[in-house]
PDB file of all heavy atoms in Angstrom:
ATOM      1  N   ASN K  84      -8.954 -21.569 -14.491  1.00  0.00           N
ATOM      2  CA  ASN K  84      -9.228 -21.767 -15.915  1.00  0.00           C
ATOM      3  C   ASN K  84      -9.837 -23.156 -16.112  1.00  0.00           C
ATOM      4  O   ASN K  84      -9.286 -24.163 -15.639  1.00  0.00           O
ATOM      5  CB  ASN K  84      -7.945 -21.656 -16.728  1.00  0.00           C
ATOM      6  CG  ASN K  84      -7.344 -20.257 -16.665  1.00  0.00           C
ATOM      7  OD1 ASN K  84      -8.020 -19.286 -16.978  1.00  0.00           O
ATOM      8  ND2 ASN K  84      -6.099 -20.158 -16.248  1.00  0.00           N
ATOM      9  N   VAL K  85     -10.960 -23.235 -16.809  1.00  0.00           N
ATOM     10  CA  VAL K  85     -11.629 -24.501 -17.078  1.00  0.00           C
ATOM     11  C   VAL K  85     -11.893 -24.623 -18.567  1.00  0.00           C
ATOM     12  O   VAL K  85     -12.382 -23.685 -19.209  1.00  0.00           O
ATOM     13  CB  VAL K  85     -12.972 -24.596 -16.316  1.00  0.00           C
ATOM     14  CG1 VAL K  85     -13.653 -25.932 -16.625  1.00  0.00           C
ATOM     15  CG2 VAL K  85     -12.754 -24.459 -14.814  1.00  0.00           C
ATOM     16  N   GLU K  86     -11.562 -25.768 -19.119  1.00  0.00           N
ATOM     17  CA  GLU K  86     -11.771 -26.017 -20.533  1.00  0.00           C
ATOM     18  C   GLU K  86     -12.412 -27.389 -20.735  1.00  0.00           C
ATOM     19  O   GLU K  86     -11.819 -28.397 -20.356  1.00  0.00           O
ATOM     20  CB  GLU K  86     -10.439 -25.940 -21.281  1.00  0.00           C
ATOM     21  CG  GLU K  86     -10.541 -26.148 -22.769  1.00  0.00           C
ATOM     22  CD  GLU K  86     -11.379 -25.096 -23.473  1.00  0.00           C
ATOM     23  OE1 GLU K  86     -11.330 -23.926 -23.047  1.00  0.00           O
ATOM     24  OE2 GLU K  86     -12.080 -25.457 -24.434  1.00  0.00           O
ATOM     25  N   PRO K  87     -13.619 -27.483 -21.295  1.00  0.00           N
ATOM     26  CA  PRO K  87     -14.504 -26.352 -21.600  1.00  0.00           C
ATOM     27  C   PRO K  87     -15.326 -25.943 -20.385  1.00  0.00           C
ATOM     28  O   PRO K  87     -15.723 -26.812 -19.597  1.00  0.00           O
ATOM     29  CB  PRO K  87     -15.401 -26.933 -22.693  1.00  0.00           C
ATOM     30  CG  PRO K  87     -15.517 -28.387 -22.342  1.00  0.00           C
ATOM     31  CD  PRO K  87     -14.191 -28.768 -21.771  1.00  0.00           C
ATOM     32  N   ARG K  88     -15.575 -24.672 -20.248  1.00  0.00           N
ATOM     33  CA  ARG K  88     -16.399 -24.208 -19.140  1.00  0.00           C
ATOM     34  C   ARG K  88     -17.864 -24.565 -19.386  1.00  0.00           C
ATOM     35  O   ARG K  88     -18.612 -24.847 -18.441  1.00  0.00           O
ATOM     36  CB  ARG K  88     -16.259 -22.687 -18.967  1.00  0.00           C
ATOM     37  CG  ARG K  88     -16.928 -22.146 -17.708  1.00  0.00           C
ATOM     38  CD  ARG K  88     -16.884 -20.632 -17.655  1.00  0.00           C
ATOM     39  NE  ARG K  88     -17.772 -20.033 -18.634  1.00  0.00           N
ATOM     40  CZ  ARG K  88     -19.082 -19.862 -18.467  1.00  0.00           C
ATOM     41  NH1 ARG K  88     -19.679 -20.274 -17.358  1.00  0.00           N
ATOM     42  NH2 ARG K  88     -19.816 -19.288 -19.411  1.00  0.00           N
ATOM     43  N   ILE K  89     -18.267 -24.539 -20.639  1.00  0.00           N
ATOM     44  CA  ILE K  89     -19.623 -24.925 -21.027  1.00  0.00           C
ATOM     45  C   ILE K  89     -19.529 -26.192 -21.853  1.00  0.00           C
ATOM     46  O   ILE K  89     -18.906 -26.199 -22.915  1.00  0.00           O
ATOM     47  CB  ILE K  89     -20.311 -23.802 -21.835  1.00  0.00           C
ATOM     48  CG1 ILE K  89     -20.374 -22.513 -21.016  1.00  0.00           C
ATOM     49  CG2 ILE K  89     -21.698 -24.224 -22.291  1.00  0.00           C
ATOM     50  CD1 ILE K  89     -20.879 -21.309 -21.790  1.00  0.00           C
ATOM     51  N   GLY K  90     -20.100 -27.275 -21.362  1.00  0.00           N
ATOM     52  CA  GLY K  90     -19.967 -28.537 -22.071  1.00  0.00           C
ATOM     53  C   GLY K  90     -21.093 -29.490 -21.737  1.00  0.00           C
ATOM     54  O   GLY K  90     -21.982 -29.195 -20.924  1.00  0.00           O
ATOM     55  N   LEU K  91     -21.067 -30.656 -22.362  1.00  0.00           N
ATOM     56  CA  LEU K  91     -22.051 -31.679 -22.074  1.00  0.00           C
ATOM     57  C   LEU K  91     -21.834 -32.264 -20.678  1.00  0.00           C
ATOM     58  O   LEU K  91     -20.723 -32.262 -20.154  1.00  0.00           O
ATOM     59  CB  LEU K  91     -21.991 -32.791 -23.123  1.00  0.00           C
ATOM     60  CG  LEU K  91     -22.629 -32.500 -24.477  1.00  0.00           C
ATOM     61  CD1 LEU K  91     -22.455 -33.697 -25.401  1.00  0.00           C
ATOM     62  CD2 LEU K  91     -24.092 -32.132 -24.332  1.00  0.00           C
ATOM     63  N   TYR K  92     -22.887 -32.803 -20.135  1.00  0.00           N
ATOM     64  CA  TYR K  92     -22.910 -33.354 -18.786  1.00  0.00           C
ATOM     65  C   TYR K  92     -21.839 -34.425 -18.592  1.00  0.00           C
ATOM     66  O   TYR K  92     -21.262 -34.544 -17.518  1.00  0.00           O
ATOM     67  CB  TYR K  92     -24.293 -33.924 -18.523  1.00  0.00           C
ATOM     68  CG  TYR K  92     -24.580 -34.357 -17.111  1.00  0.00           C
ATOM     69  CD1 TYR K  92     -25.090 -33.461 -16.167  1.00  0.00           C
ATOM     70  CD2 TYR K  92     -24.362 -35.670 -16.706  1.00  0.00           C
ATOM     71  CE1 TYR K  92     -25.365 -33.870 -14.872  1.00  0.00           C
ATOM     72  CE2 TYR K  92     -24.639 -36.090 -15.414  1.00  0.00           C
ATOM     73  CZ  TYR K  92     -25.148 -35.184 -14.506  1.00  0.00           C
ATOM     74  OH  TYR K  92     -25.420 -35.588 -13.224  1.00  0.00           O
ATOM     75  N   ASP K  93     -21.591 -35.218 -19.626  1.00  0.00           N
ATOM     76  CA  ASP K  93     -20.642 -36.328 -19.506  1.00  0.00           C
ATOM     77  C   ASP K  93     -19.271 -35.994 -20.081  1.00  0.00           C
ATOM     78  O   ASP K  93     -18.445 -36.882 -20.275  1.00  0.00           O
ATOM     79  CB  ASP K  93     -21.205 -37.574 -20.194  1.00  0.00           C
ATOM     80  CG  ASP K  93     -21.462 -37.364 -21.672  1.00  0.00           C
ATOM     81  OD1 ASP K  93     -21.441 -36.206 -22.136  1.00  0.00           O
ATOM     82  OD2 ASP K  93     -21.682 -38.375 -22.388  1.00  0.00           O
ATOM     83  N   GLU K  94     -19.022 -34.722 -20.342  1.00  0.00           N
ATOM     84  CA  GLU K  94     -17.770 -34.304 -20.960  1.00  0.00           C
ATOM     85  C   GLU K  94     -16.700 -34.040 -19.904  1.00  0.00           C
ATOM     86  O   GLU K  94     -16.947 -33.397 -18.892  1.00  0.00           O
ATOM     87  CB  GLU K  94     -18.007 -33.032 -21.785  1.00  0.00           C
ATOM     88  CG  GLU K  94     -16.852 -32.656 -22.683  1.00  0.00           C
ATOM     89  CD  GLU K  94     -17.223 -31.530 -23.626  1.00  0.00           C
ATOM     90  OE1 GLU K  94     -18.374 -31.039 -23.581  1.00  0.00           O
ATOM     91  OE2 GLU K  94     -16.364 -31.136 -24.437  1.00  0.00           O
ATOM     92  N   LYS K  95     -15.496 -34.535 -20.160  1.00  0.00           N
ATOM     93  CA  LYS K  95     -14.389 -34.276 -19.249  1.00  0.00           C
ATOM     94  C   LYS K  95     -13.936 -32.821 -19.365  1.00  0.00           C
ATOM     95  O   LYS K  95     -14.044 -32.206 -20.432  1.00  0.00           O
ATOM     96  CB  LYS K  95     -13.210 -35.194 -19.563  1.00  0.00           C
ATOM     97  CG  LYS K  95     -13.422 -36.632 -19.143  1.00  0.00           C
ATOM     98  CD  LYS K  95     -12.155 -37.447 -19.379  1.00  0.00           C
ATOM     99  CE  LYS K  95     -12.333 -38.877 -18.890  1.00  0.00           C
ATOM    100  NZ  LYS K  95     -11.113 -39.691 -19.083  1.00  0.00           N
ATOM    101  N   ILE K  96     -13.423 -32.300 -18.276  1.00  0.00           N
ATOM    102  CA  ILE K  96     -12.933 -30.926 -18.270  1.00  0.00           C
ATOM    103  C   ILE K  96     -11.495 -30.891 -17.764  1.00  0.00           C
ATOM    104  O   ILE K  96     -11.044 -31.814 -17.071  1.00  0.00           O
ATOM    105  CB  ILE K  96     -13.799 -30.004 -17.386  1.00  0.00           C
ATOM    106  CG1 ILE K  96     -13.905 -30.559 -15.954  1.00  0.00           C
ATOM    107  CG2 ILE K  96     -15.171 -29.815 -17.996  1.00  0.00           C
ATOM    108  CD1 ILE K  96     -14.672 -29.662 -15.012  1.00  0.00           C
ATOM    109  N   THR K  97     -10.795 -29.841 -18.141  1.00  0.00           N
ATOM    110  CA  THR K  97      -9.439 -29.599 -17.655  1.00  0.00           C
ATOM    111  C   THR K  97      -9.471 -28.355 -16.764  1.00  0.00           C
ATOM    112  O   THR K  97      -9.965 -27.304 -17.189  1.00  0.00           O
ATOM    113  CB  THR K  97      -8.470 -29.385 -18.829  1.00  0.00           C
ATOM    114  OG1 THR K  97      -8.442 -30.556 -19.644  1.00  0.00           O
ATOM    115  CG2 THR K  97      -7.067 -29.098 -18.321  1.00  0.00           C
ATOM    116  N   ILE K  98      -8.968 -28.490 -15.550  1.00  0.00           N
ATOM    117  CA  ILE K  98      -8.980 -27.380 -14.591  1.00  0.00           C
ATOM    118  C   ILE K  98      -7.543 -27.009 -14.229  1.00  0.00           C
ATOM    119  O   ILE K  98      -6.748 -27.878 -13.842  1.00  0.00           O
ATOM    120  CB  ILE K  98      -9.745 -27.766 -13.302  1.00  0.00           C
ATOM    121  CG1 ILE K  98     -11.153 -28.260 -13.636  1.00  0.00           C
ATOM    122  CG2 ILE K  98      -9.801 -26.569 -12.339  1.00  0.00           C
ATOM    123  CD1 ILE K  98     -11.900 -28.782 -12.431  1.00  0.00           C
ATOM    124  N   LYS K  99      -7.236 -25.720 -14.355  1.00  0.00           N
ATOM    125  CA  LYS K  99      -5.916 -25.226 -13.983  1.00  0.00           C
ATOM    126  C   LYS K  99      -6.054 -23.952 -13.147  1.00  0.00           C
ATOM    127  O   LYS K  99      -6.890 -23.093 -13.463  1.00  0.00           O
ATOM    128  CB  LYS K  99      -5.054 -24.948 -15.213  1.00  0.00           C
ATOM    129  CG  LYS K  99      -4.660 -26.203 -15.968  1.00  0.00           C
ATOM    130  CD  LYS K  99      -3.717 -25.894 -17.122  1.00  0.00           C
ATOM    131  CE  LYS K  99      -3.291 -27.172 -17.839  1.00  0.00           C
ATOM    132  NZ  LYS K  99      -2.368 -26.866 -18.966  1.00  0.00           N
ATOM    133  N   LEU K 100      -5.268 -23.830 -12.117  1.00  0.00           N
ATOM    134  CA  LEU K 100      -5.229 -22.638 -11.272  1.00  0.00           C
ATOM    135  C   LEU K 100      -3.932 -21.894 -11.563  1.00  0.00           C
ATOM    136  O   LEU K 100      -2.844 -22.493 -11.556  1.00  0.00           O
ATOM    137  CB  LEU K 100      -5.284 -23.016  -9.784  1.00  0.00           C
ATOM    138  CG  LEU K 100      -6.652 -23.377  -9.195  1.00  0.00           C
ATOM    139  CD1 LEU K 100      -7.303 -24.533  -9.918  1.00  0.00           C
ATOM    140  CD2 LEU K 100      -6.512 -23.700  -7.708  1.00  0.00           C
ATOM    141  N   ASP K 101      -4.040 -20.598 -11.846  1.00  0.00           N
ATOM    142  CA  ASP K 101      -2.876 -19.780 -12.186  1.00  0.00           C
ATOM    143  C   ASP K 101      -2.802 -18.551 -11.283  1.00  0.00           C
ATOM    144  O   ASP K 101      -3.813 -18.072 -10.756  1.00  0.00           O
ATOM    145  CB  ASP K 101      -2.949 -19.323 -13.645  1.00  0.00           C
ATOM    146  CG  ASP K 101      -2.696 -20.444 -14.628  1.00  0.00           C
ATOM    147  OD1 ASP K 101      -1.710 -21.186 -14.414  1.00  0.00           O
ATOM    148  OD2 ASP K 101      -3.470 -20.608 -15.576  1.00  0.00           O
ATOM    149  N   ASN K 102      -1.571 -18.050 -11.124  1.00  0.00           N
ATOM    150  CA  ASN K 102      -1.301 -16.803 -10.391  1.00  0.00           C
ATOM    151  C   ASN K 102      -1.635 -16.909  -8.909  1.00  0.00           C
ATOM    152  O   ASN K 102      -1.974 -15.908  -8.271  1.00  0.00           O
ATOM    153  CB  ASN K 102      -2.077 -15.632 -11.010  1.00  0.00           C
ATOM    154  CG  ASN K 102      -1.844 -15.498 -12.495  1.00  0.00           C
ATOM    155  OD1 ASN K 102      -0.720 -15.685 -12.981  1.00  0.00           O
ATOM    156  ND2 ASN K 102      -2.888 -15.207 -13.238  1.00  0.00           N
ATOM    157  N   PHE K 103      -1.536 -18.101  -8.352  1.00  0.00           N
ATOM    158  CA  PHE K 103      -1.737 -18.291  -6.926  1.00  0.00           C
ATOM    159  C   PHE K 103      -0.410 -18.117  -6.188  1.00  0.00           C
ATOM    160  O   PHE K 103       0.660 -18.162  -6.817  1.00  0.00           O
ATOM    161  CB  PHE K 103      -2.328 -19.680  -6.652  1.00  0.00           C
ATOM    162  CG  PHE K 103      -3.816 -19.759  -6.879  1.00  0.00           C
ATOM    163  CD1 PHE K 103      -4.340 -19.691  -8.172  1.00  0.00           C
ATOM    164  CD2 PHE K 103      -4.690 -19.873  -5.822  1.00  0.00           C
ATOM    165  CE1 PHE K 103      -5.715 -19.748  -8.381  1.00  0.00           C
ATOM    166  CE2 PHE K 103      -6.058 -19.929  -6.032  1.00  0.00           C
ATOM    167  CZ  PHE K 103      -6.556 -19.858  -7.309  1.00  0.00           C
ATOM    168  N   PRO K 104      -0.438 -17.926  -4.871  1.00  0.00           N
ATOM    169  CA  PRO K 104       0.824 -17.877  -4.117  1.00  0.00           C
ATOM    170  C   PRO K 104       1.658 -19.145  -4.374  1.00  0.00           C
ATOM    171  O   PRO K 104       1.113 -20.236  -4.510  1.00  0.00           O
ATOM    172  CB  PRO K 104       0.348 -17.808  -2.669  1.00  0.00           C
ATOM    173  CG  PRO K 104      -0.999 -17.190  -2.744  1.00  0.00           C
ATOM    174  CD  PRO K 104      -1.610 -17.700  -4.008  1.00  0.00           C
ATOM    175  N   LYS K 105       2.948 -18.989  -4.423  1.00  0.00           N
ATOM    176  CA  LYS K 105       3.837 -20.097  -4.767  1.00  0.00           C
ATOM    177  C   LYS K 105       4.000 -21.072  -3.598  1.00  0.00           C
ATOM    178  O   LYS K 105       4.068 -20.657  -2.439  1.00  0.00           O
ATOM    179  CB  LYS K 105       5.221 -19.549  -5.169  1.00  0.00           C
ATOM    180  CG  LYS K 105       5.203 -18.596  -6.346  1.00  0.00           C
ATOM    181  CD  LYS K 105       6.575 -18.032  -6.600  1.00  0.00           C
ATOM    182  CE  LYS K 105       6.539 -17.020  -7.766  1.00  0.00           C
ATOM    183  NZ  LYS K 105       7.889 -16.435  -7.998  1.00  0.00           N
ATOM    184  N   ASN K 106       4.061 -22.343  -3.940  1.00  0.00           N
ATOM    185  CA  ASN K 106       4.333 -23.403  -2.958  1.00  0.00           C
ATOM    186  C   ASN K 106       3.406 -23.329  -1.748  1.00  0.00           C
ATOM    187  O   ASN K 106       3.830 -23.491  -0.610  1.00  0.00           O
ATOM    188  CB  ASN K 106       5.805 -23.340  -2.505  1.00  0.00           C
ATOM    189  CG  ASN K 106       6.759 -23.467  -3.663  1.00  0.00           C
ATOM    190  OD1 ASN K 106       6.591 -24.307  -4.543  1.00  0.00           O
ATOM    191  ND2 ASN K 106       7.778 -22.592  -3.675  1.00  0.00           N
ATOM    192  N   GLU K 107       2.141 -23.072  -2.014  1.00  0.00           N
ATOM    193  CA  GLU K 107       1.153 -22.930  -0.935  1.00  0.00           C
ATOM    194  C   GLU K 107       0.089 -24.022  -1.025  1.00  0.00           C
ATOM    195  O   GLU K 107      -0.229 -24.526  -2.096  1.00  0.00           O
ATOM    196  CB  GLU K 107       0.481 -21.554  -0.987  1.00  0.00           C
ATOM    197  CG  GLU K 107       1.347 -20.413  -0.518  1.00  0.00           C
ATOM    198  CD  GLU K 107       1.545 -20.397   0.990  1.00  0.00           C
ATOM    199  OE1 GLU K 107       0.940 -21.222   1.672  1.00  0.00           O
ATOM    200  OE2 GLU K 107       2.306 -19.541   1.455  1.00  0.00           O
ATOM    201  N   LYS K 108      -0.480 -24.344   0.125  1.00  0.00           N
ATOM    202  CA  LYS K 108      -1.601 -25.262   0.167  1.00  0.00           C
ATOM    203  C   LYS K 108      -2.842 -24.552  -0.397  1.00  0.00           C
ATOM    204  O   LYS K 108      -3.169 -23.436   0.022  1.00  0.00           O
ATOM    205  CB  LYS K 108      -1.865 -25.728   1.589  1.00  0.00           C
ATOM    206  CG  LYS K 108      -0.732 -26.562   2.185  1.00  0.00           C
ATOM    207  CD  LYS K 108      -1.036 -26.949   3.629  1.00  0.00           C
ATOM    208  CE  LYS K 108       0.070 -27.803   4.209  1.00  0.00           C
ATOM    209  NZ  LYS K 108      -0.192 -28.174   5.626  1.00  0.00           N
ATOM    210  N   ILE K 109      -3.524 -25.222  -1.326  1.00  0.00           N
ATOM    211  CA  ILE K 109      -4.686 -24.646  -1.985  1.00  0.00           C
ATOM    212  C   ILE K 109      -5.854 -25.642  -1.891  1.00  0.00           C
ATOM    213  O   ILE K 109      -5.683 -26.836  -2.108  1.00  0.00           O
ATOM    214  CB  ILE K 109      -4.413 -24.345  -3.468  1.00  0.00           C
ATOM    215  CG1 ILE K 109      -3.190 -23.419  -3.615  1.00  0.00           C
ATOM    216  CG2 ILE K 109      -5.642 -23.737  -4.132  1.00  0.00           C
ATOM    217  CD1 ILE K 109      -3.378 -22.030  -3.077  1.00  0.00           C
ATOM    218  N   THR K 110      -7.042 -25.120  -1.589  1.00  0.00           N
ATOM    219  CA  THR K 110      -8.259 -25.941  -1.606  1.00  0.00           C
ATOM    220  C   THR K 110      -9.125 -25.529  -2.796  1.00  0.00           C
ATOM    221  O   THR K 110      -9.412 -24.344  -2.977  1.00  0.00           O
ATOM    222  CB  THR K 110      -9.070 -25.755  -0.313  1.00  0.00           C
ATOM    223  OG1 THR K 110      -8.324 -26.259   0.800  1.00  0.00           O
ATOM    224  CG2 THR K 110     -10.404 -26.511  -0.387  1.00  0.00           C
TER     225      THR K 110
END
Side-chain angles (χ1 to χ4, degrees):
N84 296 305
V85 180
E86 181 63 35
R88 188 186 71 82
I89 301 173
L91 283 179
Y92 189 88
D93 60 347
E94 191 171 1
K95 287 185 177 181
I96 56 176
T97 300
I98 306 174
K99 292 184 178 180
L100 281 58
D101 288 312
N102 307 321
F103 280 70
K105 301 176 182 178
N106 303 315
E107 286 287 355
K108 295 177 178 179
I109 304 293
T110 295

